[in-house]
Each structure stands twice: as C-alpha cells, then as structure tokens.
Amino acid sequence: MAIVTRRNFVLGLAAAAVVPVPQCSPGSLPDPVPLPDDPFTLGVASGDPAPDGMVLWTRLAPDPLNGGGMPNAAVPVHWELALDPDFVDVIAEADAIADPALAHSVHARAIGLPADTWFWYRFTAAGWTSPVGRTRTAPRPNARPASLRFGVTTCQHYARGYYTAHQNLALEDLDLVTFVGDYIYEANASGPRTHGTPTATTLADYRNRYALYKSDPNLQAAHAAFPWMVTWDDHEVVNNYAGDADSSGTSTTAFLERRAQAYQAWYEHQPVMLPGGASPRFDIYRMLVWGKLARMAILDGRQFRTPYRCGSGGGALCEAMAGNDVTMLGTAQEQWLASNLAAAPATWHAIAQQTVMTPFAPSTVGSGVNLDQWDGYPAARSRMFDLLEHPAVTNPVVLTGDIHCAIALDMHRDGNVANPKVATELVAPAVSSTFAAGLEAGFEAGLNARPQTRHVNAHQRGYLTCEVTPDQWVARYRVVDSLVPSSGATTDATIVLDAEG
Ligand code: FE
Ligand code: CA
C-alpha cells in the first residue's frame, strides 16, 4: 500500500508551528538529477513516534563538510517502510522532495501505520540507497503497555571525545531516545578530535557543523536503531543565550538573525516535522504519549526564557530576576504544559528539559546560584512545582542535561527535605562534553553533602537508560570511556522509583 501524505501535523505540536512541508503527489515530482557520489553520508533518523506513524529523516550530502555538494535543484527521494529488515513486506512508501532551500534534507511523515509496531525504513535517490533504519510506532492512547524503555542523552561535544556512548546506546534494548540539548557546539575546539572550523554564526556554518557531527558512525548507529525525541539547549545557537538575547550584548536584531539560521540548520538535521525556512520562532515543545503508562513533555527552556538580568553563569540572584514576571518556558508553553501534561491519565508524567531544576536552598535575592539554571528563575520554578504537585500529575519525573554530570536528585521546595518531595530529577551524563577540569571532585563532594542527592558522577561520560513499567521506573546511569574510539559501557548507578497511587 502506498501512502502519499500531504498531511503535516505532528501529534501534540503547537498548531502555530505547522505549515506545509515539501512532499509531493504523483506527477509533481521534480526530474531526477544525476548524483555521481553517494549522497547518504549522514545516515538516517526517525523521530516523534505516534500511534499511527513517525517522522523519517535523511539529508542528501555527497560532500557533507563543504555545504553538502548537491546541485542547486530539488531532487526526488523515495522512501520505504517495511515490517522486516530485508524489505520483503513493504507496507508504506512515498516520494518526497529534497529541497535545496532546506539543504536537501528530507522530512517524511509516515501515517496510517499499525500501533506499537517496529519497522525498518530506507531512502533511495538517483540510484543510491541509504543505510537502513529501525523505528516504531507508539502504543494506542488507551493501551496499557507493559513497559517503555528509553535512553536519555545530551551534550555531545565532538571535539571533547569519541561517541563511545552512542556506540553502546545503539546496542541497548530501547523503544526510543530522548535528547535534551547541546547536539552541536558552535565554537571551534580541539581535543581528541577537532571541529576544524571557526565559530558558527551563519546558516552555512551551522550546516557544516551538523554535518561533521552527523558524519560520526556511532551517532548514525544510535539514530538508525531507535526513533528519537529531540529538543535543544543553548549550544545549538550559542553558549548561554536566553530568549532573544545572547550573553555578549549583540543587538536583538542581529542575534535573532543568527538564531533563526541556527534553528533552521537544527531543523534540517533532526527527525522532527516543523516548518522550514528562516523562522524567527520555532514551537518545538510537544508531548510523547505511551498509552496509559507514560506521558513525556519535551520542553524548550531556551527560546522563550527571560533574558538574564544579573549575569548568566555562577552569581548572585538579583532583584530583577526574583519577581513573578520571569519565565523559563514563556507564557504560551507554560499554558500548553499545564493543559496537556495530565490531559489523560498516565502512571508516569515525565518532563524532558534542559537545565537543573532542583533547588538546594530558597532562591532569594543575593543567594549564590547558577543563574542559567532554574535557580536563576525562581518564580518560574515555583509555577512548575505547582503543576508537578497537581493531583492529576501522578509520579512526576524530570529529565535534564546541560551540566555534563550525572546526578539523581529528590526535588523539594526551597531545597528543604522536610517539605514534601515534588518530583525526582534525573540528570543524564554528557555523551562526550567534559566537566570543568579539576573541579569534578569538589562538585561531587558538594552535592553529596546535600540530603537531596541520590547519585552524582562528574568524572565520567555516558548516557541514561530508563525502564518504565506500571510499578517502577528504573534509571541506569551508564558510563563509558569517551577518550578512546571504542569502549564498553557499565552501569555506575541504578535508581529505582516506585509508582504511587
Ligand atoms: Fe553542554
Ligand atoms: Ca547547555
């Protein structure tokens, strides 16, 4: 059965974000373009699994590190989705267009598929065939799945190490991977590997940076193995930006121009269905629904946050950030979260987002905090806690990245463990980004002195896996050696949460 889709919605995506995407009906395909070299150098990916479909992604780039190397013409790309890895039983296929305005990326939405099912997919163009990816649909909304297994990854600085985390992640028994930010790093850097190009500021720069990262075979393997739910943090644009302002005083107009180009490159390289083009605003927040077992909100804590008013790193909270007007998510996203997180019953309610949310003390004016984290946005955190304490939000779990340190934390208001627990926060280790050299042991000691801390490891890289059932949420902190090209993974800590209610 051929499925040619002109529908363009994504389950749970804010309606304002949706505009038609380049797919085509029979007869409207562009003429084939000869491609002398393999265009499938960046692998394949899939994302946003829904009960009836998902997004399939690839990008044609025979010369990936130098702008892609494609002719300036639209190219027809065929995709197939099968019930077996040999494509004997193809149950959906269609044509899509790789548009030069979107770096010849392809975002195809497969729909009408059976729920709770694994598939294999591939693309063909100009006689070339892509690697094969594996993906799946979510269970139906009213289903009671026995489990959800997923990985949580973040902070994959290419120059700081090898993707041994992805090498091992790809071998795990998972349904999907949630990525919570810092997919690329914008600045030039060298270490075990090198970026080799200056700080990215233009669309062409960001495209080449994504192409470098996506050329890594271990990252490609992790994408090919599971669908991903991707959100971003700051380094997809520039370190420590907040809303419409960077941290170096650039004019709003100039910064928004850079941000729009960075966002476009992000879209071009991720398995998400969103409007293309240099948009000033991308509504990327959305909900993953895994039957009645789990709901997971994928949040954007960067684009709509209040710009810093008392500094962006470690510092003292100032009066200007202590008021009720500060926001981490923006009004529209906050309202969307409040009305969608518990819109249907689920045993577990997860929030996948960027920066550490757990307080260690009341955030009062003058208290020393990391101003980039929720500590720097106390009123926004208080509203988030109100939501997490709503009776319908059963068993809340917060998934976090950003800090290049594996941590498990109990969240209590004002950091006072005498107050009821609001949620558990699981901070995933970085894939390869390093913690500030020499400060690891002191940071770990400081956290271990807090009664909220259940696990901390700033020394090692890796990823988190979560095995979620109606009774328990088992989080495993997996660690690797990212300073060698290949290593195994071991479990450094296991955190078990029991479902209540
Ligand atoms: Fe990072
Ligand atoms: Ca970050």
Side-chain angles (χ1 to χ4, degrees), residues 60 93 132 153 295 305 313 440 451:
L60 307 182
E93 59 183 309
V132 173
T153 56
R295 295 171 73 83
R305 65 160 72 188
E440 299 95 337

Side-chain angles (χ1 to χ4, degrees), residues 27-41:
S28 69
L29 278 182
D31 292 333
V33 174
L35 300 175
D37 297 309
D38 183 1
F40 294 109
T41 59

Side-chain angles (χ1 to χ4, degrees), residues 3 24 186 194 239 252 254 296 320 413 431 440 448 450 473 499:
I3 295 176
C24 41
E186 77 286 359
T194 180
N239 181 44
T252 303
M296 185 191 299
R413 294 231 185 214
V431 165
E440 299 95 337
N448 276 323
R450 314 273 189 173
W473 180 305

Side-chain angles (χ1 to χ4, degrees), residues 56-150:
L56 307 176
W57 174 91
T58 193
R59 181 188 161 202
L60 307 182
D63 187 10
L65 304 186
N66 299 292
M70 287 290 289
N72 185 26
V75 176
V77 179
H78 192 70
W79 59 267
E80 301 166 277
L81 187 110
L83 290 167
D84 62 289
D86 299 319
F87 292 84
V88 173
D89 200 353
V90 173
I91 68 160
E93 59 183 309
D95 294 306
I97 297 174
D99 183 348
L102 293 172
H104 291 94
S105 61
V106 177
H107 297 81
R109 180 147 181 87
I111 61 166
L113 304 176
D116 205 6
T117 304
W118 283 99
F119 306 93
W120 285 259
Y121 63 96
R122 67 186 176 192
F123 300 85
T124 52
W128 298 94
T129 301
S130 76
V132 173
R134 192 182 66 136
T135 191
R136 62 163 301 156
T137 44
R140 269 186 269 277
N142 287 328
R144 296 186 179 278
S147 69
L148 165 63
R149 293 183 172 90
F150 68 101

Side-chain angles (χ1 to χ4, degrees), residues 286-343:
R286 56 209 193 272
M287 193 75 65
L288 173 75
V289 178
W290 211 257
K292 291 185 179 301
L293 177 62
R295 295 171 73 83
M296 185 191 299
I298 311 295
L299 298 187
D300 174 1
R302 274 296 152 193
Q303 185 178 187
F304 307 113
R305 65 160 72 188
T306 304
Y308 311 109
R309 296 163 179 164
C310 24
S312 61
L317 188 73
C318 65
E319 193 76 47
M321 292 301 278
N324 286 329
D325 63 316
V326 300
T327 179
M328 184 66 96
L329 303 176
T331 305
Q333 185 176 192
E334 261 190 49
Q335 290 175 349
W336 170 87
L337 183 65
S339 54
N340 283 275
L341 183 59

Side-chain angles (χ1 to χ4, degrees), residues 235-254:
H235 284 285
E236 283 86 348
V237 181
V238 63
N239 181 44
N240 280 6
Y241 84 90
D244 58 8
D246 66 15
S247 295
S248 45
T250 305
S251 76
T252 303
T253 305

